[in-house]
Amino acid sequence: MTASASTMSPPPTAEQYEEKEFGFWLYLMSDAAIFALLFATYMMMVGNTAGGLPGKELFSLERAAGETALLLLSSTAFGFAAVALSAGERSRTVIWLLVTFALGAGFICLEVGEFWGMIQEGAPPERSGFLSAFFTLVGTHGLHVSIGLLWIAVMIGQVLFKGLTAPVASRLMRLGLFWHFLDIIWVIIFSVVYLPGLL
Amino acid sequence: MEILGRFTIDSLPFYSVIAASGAGVTVLGGLLVVGVITWFGAWRYVWTEWLTSLDHKKIGIMYIMVALVMLLRGFVDAAMMRSQQAIAFNSDGYLPPSHFDQIFSSHGTIMIFFMAMPFMAGLINLIMPQQIGSRDVAFPFMNSISLWITTAGAGLVLISLVIGRFSTAGWTGYPPYSGVEFTPGVGVDYWIWAVLISGIGSTMSGINFVATIVKCRAPGMYMFRLPLFTWTVFVTAALMIFAFPALTVACTMLMLDRTLDMHFFTNGMGGNMMNYINIFWLWGHPEVYILVLPAFGVFSEVVAIFSQKRLFAYLSLVFATMAIAFLSFTVWLHHFFTMGSSAKVNSFFGTMTSIIAVPTGVKVFDWLMTMFRGRIIFKPPMLYMLGFLVLFVIGGLSGVLLALPPVDYVVHNTTFLVAHFHNVIIPGVVFGYLAGYMMWFPKAFGFKLNEKWGAWSFWCWTIGFILAFMPLYVLGFLGMPRRMEHYEIAAWQPHLIVAAVGAFIIFLGIVCMAIQLIVSLRDREELVDMTGDPWNGRSLEWATSSPAAPYNFAVIPDVKGLDAFWQMKAEGIAYKQPDHYEDITLPRNSSLGLMIGVLGGVFGFAMIWWIWWLAILSMGVIAVLIIIRACDDHTNFVMPASEVKAIEDAWFAKIAKAPRNEMEDDPGFAGFPAPEGTA
Amino acid sequence: MATAPIIDPKGPIILAERNLMFSATAIMMIVILPAFLMTALFIWRYRGTNRKARYTPDLAYFWPVEVVVWGVPAAIILWLGIHLWHNTYELDPYNAINPSVKPLRVDVIAQDWKWLFIYPEQDIAVVNELVFPAGRPLSLKITSDTVMNSFMIQALGGQIFAMAGMQTRLHLLADEPGKFWGRNVQYSGAGFSDQQFRAIATTNEDFDAWVEKVRGAEEKLDTATYEKLLKPSQKVPVTYYSDYELNLFDTIIAKYAHNDADLTPSSETAEPAQ
């Protein structure tokens, strides 16, 4: 409270890291509920094309497979970063984080390209209920991935400037949870959106 | 004027005297607050002790201040509706539909999102960490963000009075009416962004409270030793984590429909309005329990303290709370039995809804059994508790009637429905929060509230409530739809006049609360709570000083059973000053939460008015602030043992000086827990 | 025109709905009255100043009480649940009332802020007046050509929503000739307060005479007239149309089709999705 009292500023305690991880799990559950509702909405509206193009004519399996590969690989790369982190190897952690970032960014590029292509084909989100639901579901995931990329960039900076300190390691753990969570969501998107749309 | 989005000079409320005066009062009120703080030269104090504080108790108090201000605003809306309907028989009254429709929309929005929710979050913040023997919530900084973005949402609703207009689509914002085709303009966008922004704050609060209760309990405070209020908070917070995403999704989709011309809920083009209604109530029904469960928790504390008796059937009450929470996710369809679902679907949801009456009934009888063979002291919190018991049962009855689909067909969308949900929300939620406010006030400010004016406020609220809402049940049977701006049925008018009188008496109740606050502030020396335990309380929040020190507990208590503090008093180990103190780590103040809240409000405003550059700018700055915070490893400070000792010494000196416990003066007082007389 | 249907039901549907409400209220009194009595009694008996009353500060559990407080409400809800299930099937608004009598079919369209009634068997259309013979079931198909509305004639029975692109159904029956009050009860915008209509139950002869009168009306509800009528308007007087555009009701639903399959709807497939 008073200035005299705050002479020391200790980092958070071990219990506080545990609390943060627990809180982050709670956040992920809440976020999962958001995706669950977006999936439900998509499944309900998949037929509501209002005379516009259906998924079958819009989706490309190659592109979806490419997106999947990039995101799964980036998750694997994050796994290597986590291994390096627990081994306490700073530069290897940074390198794997960079690989994770590059693969994630590749995913975003492919997705932006896909969206752009659909808009060019006359299938923008305002064309039909189906397309609104598609862009919102996949776009929300893409937004999460973009925020994850920003987070990875910040963490690369933290590892470089602060080293693998306890607070940095704790943040990387939570980033890992987030990144793998997005992977799981993408696998569901692939199975719910792209596969039925193409088969 | 692209730079200001779709703002034009016509957006200012000069089109009507009433709208302009509403705007004037809002602006003047804001200026008055700023003026008073400046007059007393208190900006530094307000900034360091309040606005940037991460102390859960101060955040709680600020939440409750927001709630009380919004209660006034929401009440003004209610008074305008009641007076309009009292005179609008075969006449247009004094409010045109365009204005009346904004008023019922803002009344509901404010009372649910910006009165009840902040009031609840405030009481929880103030009390729950103290009840579990913790020094703060799990995430004090996130707590501050929750507060300030909730306040930003409230701010947007207030700003809509001055710049532009508010929604006319009701507090539920049903499409397709709320779509851009039928309600262009900024009104619905104000509603969406106020609700979206504060909803994110509520989700964060939910996460915070669950993490706090799971991770920050004192040693020995097992889950089944939690005071009942904390139990209800735990269950409510879990509901918030899972229910608020539904609100976020529904509002976001509606926003996308309106802003980006999408087709989630539009008529045609593949939109489906029924999806909105399903998702909205998937949040909306749990929300009812999110609001009422903590009030049940307050009542459970109140009834035990003021019956001077242990709470009856603690386990039963906990399981009833869990049952209600679980069932609350299985009943949302009862909000639209009349949408043409099959008999099978309607009977399922009707039955699930009726089942909720069972755990609720259990609670009522367990509270009654707590009073059985007690020694009841009729302090204002207990008066509210008793008023609740009687009135809430009526609300439960009308609720079960509405759960029967064939009955719902007849009275849905009528004032019967309005009477029902006010019958559960006013005696249930509001009375609960007011009981908590009057009981825990000393924990916030160190002195009690005047009891005479508290009792008067209770009688005004109760009588006013009965007069204002019982006629609405009758009007529902007479077929009066809700949200009528004028009408041609003579038989309705007498009931509406009685209802208006009732609203006026509720207003007197609010006036009594204001007088109570002023009188108590004046007599704060007399009403001072020296011991921190003004009511001979049972749980740990009464073990701290009033107001509690920044760290709550200098030494974290060791909990040995239910009613932890009562037990400590019985064993004679309460108020024993330890030999030495240790350094205490506490969260350091941060202004980032406030800044994120303000910028969140700016972002919402920019999105409402399509000022895209401002939206991008404010969101960018929020991102930068979060990154700055995320890179900060030194968010705590250490309060040295010497300073702790000084604070504690002062408190123990006060306890030694305390002439006698405040409760002893009451003729109904049954005695303190005696060391030998424990069970 | 407004009477309280719970006092004075005008048809078998509202009578059954009211009786369910009465019996549910009565059965719930088993818990409600004790709650009231116990509250009053305990406040008096266990007031703090009454030192004669027993005081057991540690009484916190007594299992027979728990059996009663869980058991009795559960039994009531069981009773209620059975009645609820039975009555919800019985009073499903989609059910035909008396299959042996041929109902009068009327198609109902909600507009801003008025009601259009189409009589497909009589080939007439009417704004803001619903005339039908008493004693003969009324079979309504309902849709909206604007925002969501809710159709109710409370004297005869409950309501059902009207939604664009969808059709809902409602069956009503008036016992005796009489004038009732019907309206939209789901808020729908600025003209909501006046969005009401007269519902008139007549004798068979009067109904036939009324149909003849409408058939003699000059105006016909062709596409152009319909488009004009559709524009938002308030306090629209009763208007008769001696004829209307073929398949008008289905065309209005098809306007809001979700996909290609919906573009050629038969009215039976356009039920709201579950």
Side-chain angles (χ1 to χ4, degrees):
Chain A
M1 294 290 114
T2 54
S4 64
S6 55
T7 43
M8 290 194 295
S9 42
T13 57
E15 292 88 54
Q16 278 177 317
Y17 293 134
E18 222 177 279
E19 287 164 18
K20 284 182 182 183
E21 196 178 319
F22 180 74
F24 200 76
W25 275 107
L26 293 176
Y27 153 71
L28 289 181
M29 281 170 13
S30 190
D31 216 14
I34 287 189
F35 278 109
L37 289 166
L38 291 176
F39 278 118
T41 302
Y42 177 81
M43 285 190 263
M44 210 196 64
M45 300 188 89
V46 73
N48 296 2
T49 47
L53 289 174
K56 214 182 314 189
E57 295 169 35
L58 289 168
F59 303 152
S60 127
L61 192 58
E62 291 78 29
R63 191 183 279 269
E67 288 168 346
T68 310
L70 283 174
L71 205 60
L72 291 182
L73 282 175
S74 89
S75 228
T76 316
F78 197 95
F80 283 112
V83 171
L85 168 68
S86 55
E89 291 180 46
R90 185 166 167 179
S91 47
R92 209 148 61 88
T93 310
V94 171
I95 289 168
W96 279 114
L97 282 177
L98 283 170
V99 174
T100 311
F101 184 91
L103 290 165
F107 168 85
I108 288 294
C109 290
L110 270 188
E111 188 162 86
V112 168
E114 179 189 5
F115 283 7
W116 183 249
M118 284 174 71
I119 292 167
Q120 293 304 310
E121 274 179 79
E126 65 267 28
R127 178 60 191 82
S128 69
F130 155 67
L131 286 165
S132 302
F134 168 81
F135 276 94
T136 305
L137 169 61
V138 181
T140 303
H141 175 266
L143 185 67
H144 277 71
V145 174
S146 309
I147 292 170
L149 287 176
L150 183 62
W151 191 355
I152 293 174
V154 170
M155 288 319 296
I156 291 173
Q158 289 201 11
V159 175
L160 285 176
F161 287 100
K162 292 173 191 264
L164 298 175
T165 61
V168 171
S170 144
R171 284 172 204 137
L172 278 171
M173 286 299 292
R174 273 171 275 140
L175 172 58
L177 288 178
F178 186 65
W179 202 247
H180 299 313
F181 168 76
L182 293 180
D183 234 21
I184 296 168
I185 298 292
W186 178 261
V187 169
I188 306 174
I189 289 182
F190 186 76
S191 331
V192 168
V193 176
Y194 291 100
L195 278 183
L198 291 166
L199 295 179
Chain B
M1 289 291 276
E2 275 290 295
I3 199 158
L4 288 179
R6 47 177 165 166
F7 177 84
T8 64
I9 201 70
D10 296 332
S11 309
L12 295 174
F14 299 124
Y15 48 85
S16 120
V17 179
I18 299 169
S21 16
V25 170
T26 309
V27 172
L28 281 179
L31 289 177
L32 190 71
V33 172
V34 171
V36 166
I37 296 176
T38 311
W39 175 260
F40 287 105
W43 278 109
R44 176 176 292 278
Y45 166 77
V46 169
W47 179 263
T48 55
E49 290 297 312
W50 294 94
L51 300 185
T52 62
S53 174
L54 299 194
D55 183 336
H56 67 94
K57 301 177 287 293
K58 289 181 173 165
I59 286 176
I61 292 167
M62 287 187 282
Y63 261 124
I64 294 174
M65 285 163 68
V66 172
L68 291 176
V69 168
M70 296 312 279
L71 172 70
L72 277 182
R73 162 73 209 277
F75 180 80
V76 170
D77 290 337
M80 289 172 82
M81 281 188 283
R82 282 282 134 264
S83 51
Q84 164 75 13
Q85 287 194 330
I87 60 176
F89 164 58
N90 270 343
S91 100
D92 289 336
Y94 68 101
L95 291 171
S98 64
H99 199 168
F100 183 81
D101 301 349
Q102 289 181 59
I103 290 172
F104 68 66
S105 304
S106 65
H107 171 76
T109 307
I110 286 173
M111 288 306 201
I112 296 287
F113 293 100
F114 303 112
M115 189 285 286
M117 288 301 287
F119 211 142
M120 177 189 87
L123 288 176
I124 293 174
N125 260 305
L126 181 63
I127 295 305
M128 182 270 284
Q130 301 191 59
Q131 277 200 335
I132 62 172
S134 172
R135 289 199 168 125
D136 208 321
V137 293
F139 313 117
F141 177 67
M142 196 164 84
N143 205 16
S144 160
I145 298 182
S146 291
L147 165 69
W148 291 115
I149 64 177
T150 304
T151 311
L156 284 177
V157 179
L158 291 180
I159 288 172
S160 76
L161 267 182
V162 184
I163 307 170
R165 294 168 187 230
F166 195 65
S167 168
T168 58
W171 79 276
T172 52
Y174 272 19
Y177 178 74
S178 59
V180 74
E181 182 187 353
F182 296 100
T183 42
V186 293
V188 178
D189 298 296
Y190 264 116
W191 177 80
I192 289 175
W193 283 103
V195 166
L196 256 184
I197 290 175
S198 71
I200 290 165
S202 299
T203 311
M204 293 199 290
S205 293
I207 292 172
N208 215 338
F209 297 149
V210 169
T212 306
I213 294 173
V214 171
K215 292 286 182 186
C216 305
R217 281 167 288 137
M221 179 62 88
Y222 308 135
M223 286 306 270
F224 281 97
R225 286 179 181 174
L226 290 178
L228 217 90
F229 176 68
T230 297
W231 255 117
T232 57
V233 171
F234 179 68
V235 172
T236 276
L239 286 181
M240 282 158 87
I241 293 174
F242 288 105
F244 268 87
L247 180 70
T248 307
V249 167
C251 285
T252 304
M253 289 182 190
L254 187 60
M255 181 273 288
L256 291 172
D257 270 9
R258 290 182 62 87
T259 313
L260 297 181
D261 214 14
M262 290 199 191
H263 293 286
F264 282 105
F265 311 126
T266 52
N267 276 353
M269 295 298 281
N272 186 341
M273 66 194 87
M274 296 189 293
N275 190 33
Y276 175 91
I277 296 170
N278 274 288
I279 299 177
F280 182 87
W281 288 113
L282 206 50
W283 161 80
H285 201 82
E287 166 70 4
V288 177
Y289 294 101
I290 287 171
L291 294 177
V292 87
L293 287 178
F296 286 173
V298 175
F299 289 131
S300 303
E301 306 289 326
V302 166
V303 75
I305 288 180
F306 295 98
S307 300
Q308 308 188 77
K309 189 161 163 280
R310 278 179 67 184
L311 185 64
F312 191 83
Y314 169 86
L315 276 182
S316 228
L317 285 166
V318 172
F319 286 122
T321 306
M322 290 184 193
I324 291 174
F326 174 76
L327 289 169
S328 74
F329 278 108
T330 63
V331 301
W332 78 90
L333 191 130
H334 71 216
H335 294 269
F336 42 94
F337 280 144
T338 54
M339 206 158 75
S341 302
S342 68
K344 199 192 293 175
V345 173
N346 278 354
S347 342
F348 171 78
F349 282 94
T351 312
M352 294 313 283
T353 307
S354 328
I355 291 175
I356 293 193
V358 177
T360 315
V362 167
K363 285 183 168 233
V364 167
F365 284 103
D366 282 338
W367 289 322
L368 281 168
M369 285 305 293
T370 306
M371 290 159 58
F372 174 70
R373 291 188 189 160
R375 289 235 195 283
I376 302 168
I377 298 182
F378 301 98
K379 302 277 186 195
M382 189 62 187
L383 292 178
Y384 276 105
M385 160 75 199
L386 294 169
F388 151 78
L389 266 186
V390 173
L391 296 176
F392 189 77
V393 167
I394 302 172
L397 167 68
S398 61
V400 174
L401 291 180
L402 282 166
L404 304 167
V407 177
D408 181 78
Y409 301 153
V410 183
V411 288
H412 182 61
N413 266 331
T414 70
T415 56
F416 184 92
L417 181 74
V418 177
H420 161 70
F421 67 70
H422 284 85
N423 198 163
V424 282
I425 285 184
I426 292 179
V429 177
V430 178
F431 281 20
Y433 295 172
L434 292 182
Y437 161 79
M438 290 188 191
M439 178 168 71
W440 284 319
F441 188 87
K443 280 284 119 188
F445 292 108
F447 58 94
K448 294 193 293 177
L449 285 168
N450 181 294
E451 287 170 16
K452 191 182 77 186
W453 285 105
W456 277 113
S457 79
F458 161 75
W459 287 111
C460 289
W461 267 101
T462 303
I463 295 166
F465 165 78
I466 292 170
L467 289 178
F469 291 100
M470 295 303 146
L472 294 195
Y473 280 124
V474 179
L475 281 166
F477 292 138
L478 293 174
M480 179 171 180
R482 62 200 293 204
R483 300 172 174 171
M484 289 284 273
E485 188 261 343
H486 63 263
Y487 52 94
E488 294 162 8
I489 311 279
W492 293 351
Q493 196 175 27
H495 301 283
L496 288 165
I497 291 172
V498 174
V501 172
F504 179 73
I505 296 176
I506 290 179
F507 170 69
L508 294 182
I510 295 174
V511 169
C512 288
M513 281 168 56
I515 297 175
Q516 180 193 35
L517 199 56
I518 294 164
V519 168
S520 312
L521 203 59
R522 187 194 63 195
D523 301 339
R524 60 186 178 280
E525 299 293 324
E526 270 168 59
L527 293 167
V528 68
D529 167 26
M530 310 267 270
T531 60
D533 181 23
W535 314 113
N536 193 18
R538 314 181 77 86
S539 39
L540 280 178
E541 79 269 32
W542 306 109
T544 60
S545 59
S546 284
Y551 44 77
N552 297 345
F553 301 91
V555 178
I556 298 293
D558 206 357
V559 177
K560 300 252 165 48
L562 266 177
D563 288 348
F565 184 54
W566 186 268
Q567 210 166 18
M568 286 161 70
K569 288 192 281 188
E571 290 169 12
I573 53 174
Y575 306 118
K576 287 273 188 294
Q577 196 169 9
D579 309 328
H580 80 288
Y581 292 98
E582 287 178 9
D583 293 352
I584 294 176
T585 305
L586 288 171
R588 193 201 282 272
N589 277 10
S590 168
S591 58
L592 294 183
L594 175 64
M595 281 149 76
I596 288 171
V598 170
L599 286 163
V602 170
F603 174 73
F605 186 81
M607 290 300 290
I608 292 163
W609 289 95
W610 301 349
I611 312 174
W612 308 123
W613 65 267
L614 186 59
I616 293 166
L617 182 69
S618 50
M619 203 27 103
V621 179
I622 289 177
V624 170
L625 293 179
I626 291 175
I627 291 171
I628 290 175
R629 177 75 188 185
C631 295
D632 188 352
D633 295 339
H634 302 284
T635 55
N636 294 332
F637 75 95
V638 169
M639 186 182 274
S642 58
E643 195 178 333
V644 176
K645 186 168 188 315
I647 296 174
E648 292 293 301
D649 283 346
W651 179 40
F652 278 98
K654 222 160 102 182
I655 295 174
K657 266 195 299 184
R660 53 195 297 170
N661 187 288
E662 294 86 338
M663 281 290 263
E664 281 180 77
D665 300 332
D666 195 286
F669 182 65
F672 293 111
E676 63 274 27
T678 51
Chain C
M1 277 196 283
T3 55
I6 62 158
I7 300 163
D8 189 13
K10 299 290 189 189
I13 301 292
I14 186 71
L15 179 70
E17 286 165 343
R18 169 195 96 156
N19 288 347
L20 176 63
M21 173 148 67
F22 281 178
S23 54
T25 307
I27 189 88
M28 278 189 284
M29 286 302 150
I30 295 176
V31 284
I32 287 173
L33 291 180
F36 282 162
L37 286 176
M38 283 165 78
T39 310
L41 187 70
F42 291 175
I43 289 175
W44 177 249
R45 175 79 188 156
Y46 301 109
R47 64 192 191 278
T49 47
N50 181 12
R51 297 285 154 165
K52 280 181 290 185
R54 259 184 87 179
Y55 175 50
T56 54
D58 291 318
L59 172 70
Y61 185 71
F62 186 51
W63 68 265
V65 170
E66 290 307 289
V67 172
V68 173
V69 299
W70 283 94
V72 174
I76 291 174
I77 294 303
L78 186 68
W79 183 92
L80 210 58
I82 292 165
H83 280 247
L84 180 151
W85 208 275
H86 173 76
N87 277 285
T88 305
Y89 273 88
E90 197 79 343
L91 294 169
D92 185 351
Y94 283 52
N95 283 355
I97 291 173
N98 181 355
S100 60
V101 182
K102 190 172 172 289
L104 175 70
R105 273 184 57 197
V106 181
D107 296 343
V108 182
I109 297 151
Q111 297 181 343
D112 280 339
W113 287 279
K114 58 214 167 259
W115 291 95
L116 174 63
F117 301 102
I118 298 174
Y119 290 68
E121 286 152 4
Q122 285 74 18
D123 279 329
I124 53 173
V126 185
V127 173
N128 280 348
E129 188 177 77
L130 176 62
V131 178
F132 53 97
R136 182 173 166 197
L138 187 57
S139 171
L140 303 173
K141 283 189 202 168
I142 301 168
T143 192
S144 167
D145 204 353
T146 174
V147 303
M148 182 192 280
N149 278 234
S150 191
F151 175 96
M152 178 152 79
I153 307 169
Q154 206 195 24
L156 300 182
Q159 66 196 287
I160 196 128
F161 285 171
M163 294 175 284
M166 286 168 271
Q167 134 188 315
T168 46
R169 309 199 61 168
L170 184 63
H171 289 85
L172 297 170
L173 174 61
D175 290 329
E176 306 283 335
K179 284 187 179 179
F180 317 114
W181 183 64
R183 61 164 295 123
N184 170 27
V185 289
Q186 170 76 41
Y187 172 75
S188 61
F192 166 68
S193 298
D194 292 316
Q195 194 181 354
Q196 49 191 317
F197 61 91
R198 274 188 299 180
I200 304 172
T202 60
T203 60
N204 280 326
E205 299 76 50
D206 287 352
F207 178 70
D208 293 339
W210 176 80
V211 169
E212 282 313 309
K213 189 172 92 183
V214 178
R215 279 186 180 145
E218 276 178 26
E219 257 193 301
K220 293 185 190 333
L221 192 57
D222 52 26
T223 310
T225 319
Y226 183 82
E227 287 306 320
K228 224 168 86 190
L229 181 68
L230 184 60
K231 294 213 165 65
S233 52
Q234 300 184 29
K235 298 189 181 177
V236 180
V238 175
T239 317
Y240 296 148
Y241 300 102
S242 52
D243 196 6
Y244 63 87
E245 201 75 11
L246 194 65
N247 289 331
L248 181 58
F249 187 76
D250 292 343
T251 316
I252 290 165
I253 290 182
K255 275 208 297 196
Y256 303 106
H258 286 165
N259 54 41
D260 302 337
D262 285 355
L263 282 171
T264 49
S266 84
S267 349
E268 302 311 315
T269 58
E271 308 282 347
Q274 296 303 332

